Amino acid sequence: MTVQDTAATGVILSEPAAVKVKALLDQEGRDDLRLRIAVQPGGCSGLRYQLFFDERFLDGDQTYDFNGVEVIVDRMSGPYLGGAVIDFVDTIEKQGFTIDNPNATGSCACGDSFS
């Protein structure tokens, strides 16, 4: 799958995010884990992102590979995440993963949830 195809149908993991996820996976010391990105009800705007390591495959999961980092999105979260870019920021002001989602029509002040 090309980056252009992924942008239209799934998530994109930036190079800095892929490097950080790979480093975190290496720390875990397990080769059966992959990054799962999901959308769950919650937060002040209605929906909340979840990023976590998972060894499971669920029926309908979409899988993507970014430089050896496997990313999984469940069937229900896929429509909310089409074209979303997951990045990792490491500056003096902020450190962590960010999600730029073209499907989000609004977000809360803390940036933790979206609608």
Side-chain angles (χ1 to χ4, degrees):
M1 183 173 282
T2 68
V3 172
Q4 187 175 18
D5 293 339
T6 303
T9 62
V11 298
I12 299 167
L13 194 65
S14 73
E15 181 67 28
V19 168
K20 184 61 175 180
V21 170
K22 178 78 170 121
L24 292 170
L25 284 169
D26 288 346
Q27 285 179 0
E28 290 293 321
R30 294 175 52 185
D31 60 358
D32 64 334
L33 295 175
R34 58 211 45 89
L35 178 66
R36 181 173 291 278
I37 303 170
V39 173
Q40 299 291 322
C44 7
S45 292
L47 296 170
R48 165 173 252 157
Y49 299 110
Q50 290 189 325
L51 284 83
F52 58 96
F53 294 136
D54 198 353
E55 72 276 353
R56 303 168 300 147
F57 280 105
L58 304 175
D59 187 36
D61 277 350
Q62 300 167 336
T63 61
Y64 307 93
D65 185 271
F66 297 93
N67 298 327
V69 174
E70 195 172 9
V71 176
I72 306 256
V73 177
D74 66 84
R75 180 184 333 175
M76 299 301 284
S77 299
Y80 295 103
L81 294 170
V85 177
I86 291 82
D87 195 11
F88 184 76
V89 178
D90 189 4
T91 67
I92 196 163
E93 297 171 341
K94 182 178 182 180
Q95 182 184 43
F97 290 96
T98 62
I99 300 175
D100 182 15
N101 188 346
N103 303 302
T105 57
S107 64
C108 62
C110 65
D112 215 23
S113 67
F114 71 101
S115 60

